[in-house]
Amino acid sequence: MIRVLLVDDQPLIRSGFRALLDLEDDIEVVAEAADGREALALVERLRPDVALVDIQMPLMDGIEATRRIAEDPALADVHVVMLTNYGMDEYVYDALRAGAAGFLVKDILPEDFLHAVRVAARGDALLAPAITRKLIDRYVTLPLPARSGSGSGLEALTSREREAVALAAHGLSNDEIANRLVISPATAKTHINRATTKLHARDRAQLVVLAYESGLVTPRGA
């Protein structure tokens, strides 16, 4: 059973998502929260598999709540997915840096929403959809110092692992990485998992952030 926490200051949004989730036999909504502080307390007490967290909320915003969850080793199994509107795209990179496993736009189709919850629950980052690629390309535009050598952690990666990480940073799924590198999907997943471990990244989303911050990949137009 996938245990989900809904966090949004708009009751109508929460009730809409809950109505969808309650119809699924393998998903249970364990609680709802209207702000980041309440969400953090519920996460610490209930340890949900997935926390769907709005970005802009009173008292404590979603990014700060996500950061605190990600920094707590006891909450390592909680996968935070940010809820955003197209008008708040500038927050996406901050959300990934804070430790979010991915993000969803609030007008997502119901079937895509349910699929995303299941993807997040099994520990996969929501970085494959085209919307994510567009947002990463547009908003990962911070200055990138030359840190691809000693000190970045990338020196611990094999050449194949570096290639896989670079492709993941462009939004490719494991299957797409496998096709590009002419390897099996299982091998592609192994490369990503080993790179995640070596770079001490929380998950695939943070691995992508590290790829940009280290200079391994540069955003378009940079």
Side-chain angles (χ1 to χ4, degrees), residues 80-210:
V80 179
V81 176
M82 307 301 296
L83 301 173
T84 182
N85 296 308
Y86 284 112
M88 290 190 270
D89 291 350
E90 66 270 21
Y91 296 105
V92 168
Y93 185 59
D94 287 340
L96 291 177
R97 291 189 70 186
F103 44 88
L104 299 173
V105 290
K106 291 184 180 180
D107 61 353
I108 189 172
L109 293 174
E111 57 268 28
D112 292 337
F113 170 69
L114 294 172
H115 174 70
V117 170
R118 294 184 174 100
V119 167
R122 64 175 182 252
D124 293 336
L126 299 172
L127 293 175
I131 179 65
T132 305
R133 296 177 189 168
K134 182 183 73 172
L135 292 172
I136 289 176
D137 283 343
R138 182 174 179 184
Y139 288 104
V140 182
T141 56
L142 299 180
L144 294 170
R147 289 184 285 164
S148 57
S150 178
S152 69
L154 294 180
E155 65 274 8
L157 303 183
T158 66
S159 60
R160 266 317 207 193
E161 288 166 354
R162 289 167 67 100
E163 289 177 299
V165 171
L167 292 172
H170 285 296
L172 273 66
S173 67
N174 287 342
D175 286 347
E176 291 168 331
I177 292 171
N179 288 336
R180 186 73 64 87
L181 297 181
V182 195
I183 57 179
S184 70
T187 299
K189 184 176 181 179
T190 296
H191 287 326
I192 294 296
N193 288 344
R194 286 178 177 170
T196 300
T197 299
K198 289 179 180 180
L199 296 178
H200 306 290
R202 176 182 171 93
D203 53 27
R204 190 188 188 101
Q206 283 204 329
L207 190 66
V208 168
V209 170
L210 288 171

Side-chain angles (χ1 to χ4, degrees), residues 205-220:
Q206 283 204 329
L207 190 66
V208 168
V209 170
L210 288 171
Y212 281 103
E213 292 189 329
S214 67
L216 178 63
V217 178
T218 56
R220 293 177 187 173

